[in-house]
Amino acid sequence: MKPSHFITLSIISLLVFSGCHSSKRSLRPGEPLPENATLTQRYDALVDGYGNWSDVTVPVSFVLSSPQRFSISGRAKMIHNESIDISLRMLGFEVGRIYFTVDSVHVMVKPKKVYMSESLAEVSRVFKFSVGNVQDLIMGRPFVLGGSTLSPDTRNLALRFIEGDAWSIMLAPSISSASYGYRVCADNFLEYLVAGYNNGYLTASCGYSAPVNVDGVGVVSPDVDINVVNPKQKIEASITWKWDNARWNEGIESEWTVPRGYKRIKAADVIKNVAQD
């Protein structure tokens, strides 16, 4: 069996046998599905729930469970398809910052006076993702890797029922040795993103709680559970959004400047410094 076929089958298996993610919010944005809804009807209802937005400012919290325990809160400012700017805070003071743009990634750790700056191409060598993909991933919206949020166009998509009324979306891999797909609950909200890469049999998944419906914006997930497994390490983390306190479409701006007096270090060193504070 070709490695790419092995990964594809592994992803399908994970989508089939993943249990239903815990629902912490009410569902049903929009009209309920008709009885015995077809896959096409379910897909159309899913993507119809994703409205447009230009920018958002929202409180957020992060918990790293493995390989070490670490938690922190902050505030995120996101400009759609342009940037993600997250200020990390403890006791009301900024201790770090994460800044994504269409072509670069920056991280700053204030207590250590260090920062990291890398091209997006460098940090996305395995999966060629865009800043818009990252926004969709952390907000609970399915996307085409390197492209946009899923639309009514179903070309290059494989839809199938997997158990009961749960169903899956498989996408054509962007590289021959990788595959990814989505599991949608019987209640027709996005439940899991699962991805696999043949180099070391790395797998990654994101689990989503039932979404909330924001007027004029559509559905977003309040809780995201992230798991990354490779032969050497397992990473478990979660993101919680306070969408009730979000401010949408205010025309915000954001930019990165190199902090004065800070030392530039590698990405692995930044992660180590953040975990120590």
Side-chain angles (χ1 to χ4, degrees), residues 53-221:
W53 60 283
S54 61
D55 58 76
V56 63
T57 302
V58 57
V60 62
S61 60
F62 303 90
V63 175
L64 178 68
S65 302
S66 179
Q68 298 183 29
R69 181 76 181 181
F70 174 73
S71 62
I72 196 167
S73 60
R75 182 168 292 272
K77 296 195 300 182
M78 296 190 288
I79 302 174
H80 192 208
N81 290 329
E82 291 187 16
S83 64
I84 302 170
D85 189 357
I86 301 176
S87 173
L88 302 172
R89 296 178 176 273
M90 285 185 173
L91 302 176
F93 296 95
E94 185 178 65
V95 296
R97 186 180 175 198
I98 303 171
Y99 189 60
F100 277 81
T101 69
V102 293
D103 55 17
S104 56
V105 180
H106 310 278
V107 179
M108 176 182 66
V109 182
K110 275 193 171 182
K112 300 291 185 178
K113 299 198 75 173
V114 296
Y115 77 97
M116 178 274 291
S117 291
E118 301 284 358
S119 69
L120 187 60
E122 175 65 22
V123 299
S124 64
R125 286 181 295 173
V126 175
F127 294 102
K128 297 295 182 182
F129 58 82
S130 67
V131 66
N133 291 161
V134 177
Q135 291 170 340
D136 283 340
L137 184 146
I138 60 181
M139 294 171 69
R141 296 186 170 189
F143 55 88
V144 176
L145 199 63
S148 61
T149 310
L150 289 186
S151 70
D153 186 356
T154 58
R155 287 176 296 180
N156 299 320
L157 302 181
L159 311 178
R160 66 178 69 187
F161 285 111
I162 50 180
E163 58 175 353
D165 286 331
W167 56 285
S168 68
I169 307 169
M170 288 294 295
L171 295 96
S174 59
I175 48 179
S176 61
S177 55
S179 293
Y180 67 111
Y182 302 95
R183 175 187 167 101
V184 184
C185 251
D187 286 330
N188 218 52
F189 69 84
L190 181 65
E191 183 186 14
Y192 280 101
L193 159 67
V194 181
Y197 185 65
N198 189 53
N199 183 11
Y201 299 104
L202 179 148
T203 61
S205 68
C206 289
Y208 301 99
S209 62
V212 294
N213 193 18
V214 179
D215 289 343
V217 174
V219 296
V220 287
S221 178

Side-chain angles (χ1 to χ4, degrees), residues 27-49:
L27 185 61
R28 295 302 182 194
E31 296 297 323
L33 288 167
E35 188 176 356
N36 299 320
T38 67
L39 282 170
T40 300
Q41 288 174 317
R42 289 178 174 276
Y43 179 84
D44 289 343
L46 180 75
V47 299
D48 283 348

Side-chain angles (χ1 to χ4, degrees), residues 217-268:
V217 174
V219 296
V220 287
S221 178
D223 308 285
V224 185
D225 295 328
I226 301 170
N227 289 274
V228 180
V229 179
N230 62 48
K232 296 182 179 180
Q233 192 177 53
K234 181 177 182 179
I235 299 172
E236 296 180 341
S238 63
I239 303 172
T240 299
W241 302 99
K242 296 182 179 179
W243 294 120
D244 290 344
N245 297 323
R247 304 195 309 271
W248 297 89
N249 306 328
E250 295 185 334
I252 63 174
E253 297 181 354
S254 187
E255 64 178 3
W256 168 266
T257 56
V258 176
R260 297 181 60 182
Y262 280 56
K263 178 183 177 181
R264 183 173 179 176
I265 62 176
K266 296 180 179 179

